[in-house]
Amino acid sequence: MVPPDKSQKRPLSNKKLLLTKWTAVTPQHREKHFLVSRVHDPQLPSDQTIPKNYIELEAVLTKRRYLLSWTDLKDLTRWLQGWQ
């Protein structure tokens, strides 16, 4: 069995990302486990300034929130799906 290539892209859908769990490959500030707490929709008045492909990740330990493009989660060198 050949191990997966780290640069390989995995299929993701922004419609199914809400409440999914992610693990940072290289944790910073003791933040390793994250939860997708929001998928931004530019059609909502509160989200009009944020592009539609952005999500909000919440660190489980610190409750700190980060805004990033959901396509960044495809990078296997930075993110692993699930809590590991």
Side-chain angles (χ1 to χ4, degrees):
M1 183 172 166
V2 177
D5 180 13
K6 290 285 187 183
S7 63
Q8 177 184 355
K9 300 290 183 185
R10 65 180 142 210
L12 280 179
S13 168
N14 64 341
K15 295 176 183 177
K16 296 182 179 184
L17 282 174
L18 188 62
L19 300 178
T20 57
K21 300 171 184 178
W22 295 87
T23 299
V25 172
T26 311
Q28 296 180 7
H29 310 290
R30 296 179 36 204
E31 296 172 336
K32 181 176 182 177
H33 297 113
F34 293 84
L35 188 70
V36 175
S37 59
R38 186 172 183 186
V39 178
H40 289 274
D41 182 1
Q43 294 180 348
L44 297 175
S46 62
D47 291 348
Q48 286 182 347
T49 60
I50 300 170
K52 70 176 180 177
N53 63 340
Y54 275 72
I55 59 163
E56 199 168 279
L57 270 183
E58 182 177 336
V60 174
L61 181 66
T62 63
K63 304 295 183 206
R64 197 176 306 171
R65 294 176 182 233
Y66 298 93
L67 186 67
L68 73 146
S69 172
W70 66 269
T71 56
D72 291 344
L73 296 174
K74 292 181 181 183
D75 185 356
L76 293 173
T77 62
R78 294 180 57 208
W79 297 102
L80 299 174
Q81 195 166 11
W83 289 345
Q84 307 187 7

